[in-house]
Amino acid sequence: MEDVTLVVLCAGNSTRFENVCKKQWLRVENEPLWLNVTSRLNSYSNFKKTIVVSHEDELRYMQNFNDDFLYVKGGETRQNSIKNALNFVDTKYVMISDVARACISKDMIDRILELKDKATCVVPILGVSDTVIYEKNTINRDEVKLIQTPQLSLTDVLKKALNTNIEFTDESSAIKNSGYEISYVKGCVKAKKLTFLDDLDEIPCLKSPSKNFFTGFGFDLHSFEDNKPMFLGGVELPYSYGFKAHSDGDVLIHSLIDALLGAIGAGDIGEFFPDTDERFKNIDSKKLLEYIVRFVKNVGYEIVNVDITIIAEQPKINPHKIEIKNSLSQLLNLPKQFINVKATTSEKIGSIGRKEGVVVQCVANVKYYEWDKK
């Protein structure tokens, strides 16, 4: 089917989901939900192109998972995300779905596509079985329909319909507002939209996340710099010298960030916070770690434990271990028993032995967020 592009919207912040893990990153066995849904929809027909619309912060990370799709940065609203995707659509028709509809059946897709050449916009709908009240008045439920996605639209018509400051909740509303008729087909009750955490109980097609654990390793080294505050593990130590770096030089936090990113396969600290970017000049490394911890949890992981080794002739680490562990416990939102901090020297060998700097090695373990136990 060379005249249809599939677009799957995955750029939302999952605000109503009210969970640290975004719904598009819930794991179905080892697959994030967005990949599970997109792959299934993509298999239902011979689409010319499949576009995944991602949150800007997660765009590069998403590209690690599958090379078959085109990844596009989303916008502040659903409508802006669609408009961004449409810039890459060159087919006569476009089919747009929300990743939150996780259990869409092939039959429903077939029903939509059967009307492709006969309609401007094809929309799946469901009837309402309960009594409906609008502004305290009971209305005829036979006249009330629930609109679902995906929706199939003539690309040129949709582009023109969205060229407005009016915000629409779906494509059919925009196209109808432009004066076109909408064609409706039978939807599917199984294609329930995942909006709230409790909705997971009513979406049976999703398998539980796997029980795999993932390990990442971090390494960082910084030389000393006189007349600069020293920060280690988010704690300011009482010395007249600190670490030479673009940021505040917290070598422990930098190593820990790399360990966390390694565990989830997300690259390294330089990809997130390049030392060529003035925004990060002298920045508090605690802010960098807070961002990474939030990212790790947003994309579907829980931090299990971290093990840290500080290699230094100076400063002396043992007097500060408890304070460092307390700081890391708060930053990671992790009980202290799952944070280990070790200190050793290099036996006066090499640059560390000559008291020129400090090395920190870190191991971090993570697992998938266990949404099936919530």
Side-chain angles (χ1 to χ4, degrees):
M1 188 166 292
E2 295 296 321
D3 57 353
V4 180
T5 295
L6 172 66
V7 175
V8 183
L9 302 174
C10 313
N13 285 314
S14 297
T15 304
R16 289 180 293 173
F17 195 58
E18 295 184 337
N19 194 274
V20 67
C21 173
K22 290 186 176 182
K23 59 189 173 187
Q24 59 263 44
W25 287 100
L26 296 171
R27 287 311 190 280
V28 183
E29 295 185 322
N30 276 300
E31 285 186 331
L33 180 65
W34 69 263
L35 179 58
N36 181 271
V37 171
T38 304
S39 297
R40 191 157 8 97
L41 291 176
N42 185 64
S43 72
Y44 289 165
S45 187
N46 184 29
F47 297 103
K48 180 179 180 182
K49 185 189 304 180
T50 295
I51 298 174
V52 176
V53 184
S54 167
H55 191 284
E56 181 178 11
D57 292 349
E58 298 151 20
L59 183 60
R60 186 177 66 246
Y61 186 52
M62 271 191 174
Q63 293 169 340
N64 290 331
F65 287 80
N66 189 293
D67 294 328
D68 295 333
F69 310 136
L70 174 64
Y71 298 88
V72 173
K73 182 177 74 173
E76 291 295 320
T77 65
R78 183 183 188 277
Q79 187 160 307
N80 285 337
S81 290
I82 292 174
K83 290 166 77 172
N84 287 356
L86 288 174
N87 290 328
F88 298 88
V89 176
D90 56 5
T91 52
K92 184 176 180 180
Y93 300 96
V94 60
M95 177 180 282
I96 301 177
S97 191
D98 298 289
V99 69
R101 295 197 188 273
C103 300
I104 295 168
S105 67
K106 186 178 185 304
D107 288 345
M108 189 165 106
I109 299 297
D110 290 342
R111 287 194 293 273
I112 295 170
L113 291 174
E114 282 174 4
L115 287 182
K116 176 172 65 71
D117 298 320
K118 304 174 184 177
T120 303
C121 182
V122 185
V123 179
I125 60 172
L126 291 177
V128 177
S129 57
D130 295 321
T131 298
V132 179
I133 296 177
Y134 177 72
E135 293 185 348
K136 298 183 179 181
N137 297 314
T138 301
I139 61 178
N140 184 356
R141 63 189 176 195
D142 293 334
E143 297 179 358
V144 177
K145 304 298 178 185
L146 301 178
I147 287 180
Q148 297 182 304
T149 62
Q151 298 179 13
L152 182 75
S153 306
L154 279 168
T155 303
D156 289 343
V157 172
L158 181 58
K159 286 180 178 180
K160 292 176 183 177
L162 294 179
N163 187 24
T164 174
N165 292 326
I166 303 172
E167 284 289 330
F168 298 100
T169 57
D170 73 328
E171 304 84 89
S172 67
S173 300
I175 290 174
K176 189 171 185 178
N177 184 68
S178 295
Y180 293 91
E181 291 292 324
I182 307 299
S183 299
Y184 298 102
V185 297
K186 181 183 177 183
C188 178
V189 69
K190 292 181 180 178
K192 177 180 173 60
K193 188 176 181 181
L194 174 58
T195 303
F196 306 104
L197 189 61
D198 289 344
D199 291 337
L200 286 165
D201 297 332
E202 301 177 47
I203 303 180
C205 74
L206 301 183
K207 296 181 180 179
S208 296
S210 81
K211 306 303 180 185
N212 290 338
F213 279 66
F214 305 90
T215 300
F217 178 75
F219 174 95
D220 200 23
L221 179 152
H222 282 306
S223 58
F224 295 129
E225 180 178 324
D226 291 332
N227 302 314
K228 183 178 182 180
M230 174 177 283
F231 294 95
L232 199 63
V235 176
E236 184 173 0
L237 303 186
Y239 299 99
S240 61
Y241 56 94
F243 295 111
K244 187 176 182 179
H246 184 68
S247 67
D248 66 6
D250 194 323
V251 62
L252 190 157
I253 283 182
H254 298 175
S255 177
L256 177 54
I257 286 174
D258 268 351
L260 291 170
L261 293 176
I264 68 170
D268 59 50
I269 188 172
E271 296 177 40
F272 282 80
F273 315 113
D275 60 11
T276 55
D277 193 327
E278 286 300 309
R279 291 179 300 166
F280 307 124
K281 180 70 173 175
N282 296 321
I283 193 170
D284 184 344
S285 291
K286 293 194 298 294
K287 293 181 180 179
L288 306 184
L289 180 57
E290 287 169 350
Y291 177 91
I292 293 300
V293 169
R294 185 166 59 251
F295 180 84
V296 167
K297 294 181 177 181
N298 279 347
V299 299
Y301 293 90
E302 298 179 35
I303 301 170
V304 177
N305 76 300
V306 297
D307 183 29
I308 299 162
T309 301
I310 306 168
I311 306 169
E313 296 290 340
Q314 67 174 41
K316 296 300 180 183
I317 303 302
N318 284 337
H320 310 291
K321 274 187 179 179
I322 293 177
E323 193 175 1
I324 289 172
K325 286 188 70 170
N326 288 339
S327 171
L328 294 177
S329 177
Q330 291 184 345
L331 291 167
L332 297 172
N333 193 25
L334 196 65
K336 285 193 295 182
Q337 73 249 35
F338 301 123
I339 300 169
N340 191 48
V341 178
K342 308 188 298 289
T344 187
T345 69
S346 65
E347 300 295 337
K348 304 190 185 303
I349 298 172
S351 60
I352 304 303
R354 293 191 298 269
K355 301 181 180 180
E356 296 176 6
V358 170
V359 165
V360 178
Q361 297 175 338
C362 182
V363 176
N365 291 299
V366 302
K367 64 179 180 178
Y368 292 137
Y369 169 69
E370 295 179 316
W371 57 264
D372 55 332
K373 294 185 178 180
K374 303 303 178 183

